[in-house]
Amino acid sequence: MSTWANLGLQDSASPLMEQLIFFHDHALLILVMITVLVGYLMFMLFFNNYVNRFLLHGQLIEMIWTILPAIILLFIAFPSLRLLYLLDEINEPSVTLKSIGHQWYWSYEYSDFNNIEFDSYMIPTNELSTDGFRLLDVENRIVLPMNSQIRILVTAADVIHSWTIPALGVKVDGTPGRLNQTNFFMNRPGLFYGQCSEICGANHSFMPIVIESVPTNYFIKWISN
Ligand code: CUA
């Protein structure tokens, strides 16, 4: 989860998020290089008084400053496209979790396991225990096994919600009448927090998501109650 003064991305907990962070850094590096170059050129142009009295056309420089940015854009476009397809790839999931957005809580169904279903409400601040995270903890957490492919099916019962977990690189809209799919792979144990990210009404900020990433034998123990 994000803690004090963390302005960047959260530490990744899945290979896809790792790739997303790599892409972010790559794009940011190109952005900084362009900003520095253009900033320097503008600065130097502003503070000198040379005039080219014979300037009528400059086809070579126009060729260069048309084609060069296009090539630079390709260096962003291709990794971006690769990531897009990677995020959409479903690789034989071993567990499927269905999450349904409601105003304003999530409910979950483990359709593989005797259709276990439960609601997951945020814990209000006045009922929070001392080790809980304010506005982020829920009464019933999702428990999922680490080191296995997990499929998430997202939908909603009333308005559009969005099932978003930053550490896993997952963000899927839950839309009434539709069933959206995504998948992830958690490569470490821990608690992963997320929040709804579609403006879904008055209590939009108060329908968080918590995943307990546990070893597989723990998960089997939990699922068989
Ligand atoms: Cu549900 Cu915002």
Side-chain angles (χ1 to χ4, degrees):
M1 66 178 285
S2 206
T3 47
W4 302 122
N6 182 10
L7 300 178
L9 295 162
Q10 295 177 29
D11 288 343
S12 78
S14 78
L16 283 177
M17 191 58 213
E18 195 175 27
Q19 292 297 315
L20 284 165
I21 291 171
F22 288 154
F23 177 70
H24 165 268
D25 294 353
H26 170 74
L28 195 68
L29 196 76
I30 292 172
L31 204 75
V32 167
M33 289 193 297
I34 292 169
T35 309
V36 168
L37 179 72
V38 174
Y40 173 77
L41 291 176
M42 285 174 73
F43 186 84
M44 296 314 273
L45 244 37
F46 198 76
F47 290 102
N48 82 69
N49 39 28
Y50 293 126
V51 177
N52 186 347
R53 290 191 292 149
F54 304 105
L55 181 68
L56 286 172
H57 56 83
Q59 297 199 315
L60 181 67
I61 191 65
E62 286 190 4
M63 289 279 278
I64 293 169
W65 71 40
T66 304
I67 294 170
L68 199 71
I71 294 170
I72 294 170
L73 282 180
L74 290 181
F75 278 91
I76 302 174
F78 282 116
S80 171
L81 220 53
R82 186 191 82 110
L83 245 175
L84 198 66
Y85 279 91
L86 225 48
L87 289 172
D88 220 33
E89 184 73 32
I90 304 290
N91 188 31
E92 288 183 57
S94 41
V95 182
T96 300
L97 173 71
K98 187 174 168 189
S99 53
I100 302 128
H102 302 261
Q103 280 176 317
W104 287 274
Y105 62 96
W106 291 97
S107 66
Y108 298 102
E109 293 177 13
Y110 286 80
S111 317
D112 301 339
F113 303 94
N114 224 352
N115 226 15
I116 293 169
E117 49 187 304
F118 56 88
D119 296 339
S120 183
Y121 282 87
M122 186 193 79
I123 302 175
T125 306
N126 56 317
E127 292 168 27
L128 200 66
S129 59
T130 42
D131 59 348
F133 294 110
R134 194 176 77 94
L135 306 184
L136 225 45
D137 260 319
V138 294
E139 37 148 33
N140 286 315
R141 291 166 171 170
I142 314 157
V143 180
L144 284 170
M146 59 182 274
N147 288 333
S148 35
Q149 276 291 326
I150 292 152
R151 167 167 50 197
I152 304 289
L153 301 172
V154 189
T155 185
D158 33 50
V159 296
I160 304 178
H161 299 271
S162 179
W163 204 82
T164 307
I165 311 268
L168 300 173
V170 171
K171 183 174 181 190
V172 201
D173 275 10
T175 309
R178 286 174 55 92
L179 195 61
N180 289 329
Q181 176 182 251
T182 190
N183 76 119
F184 58 80
F185 180 97
M186 296 183 288
N187 53 16
R188 59 185 169 91
L191 282 176
F192 305 125
Y193 289 86
Q195 286 177 301
C196 176
S197 61
E198 283 284 2
I199 310 297
C200 57
N203 291 327
H204 155 68
S205 322
F206 310 119
M207 47 180 300
I209 304 145
V210 188
I211 299 184
E212 271 182 47
S213 173
V214 296
T216 313
N217 54 330
Y218 258 73
F219 172 75
I220 292 168
K221 206 178 280 180
W222 177 83
I223 205 81
S224 46
N225 286 11

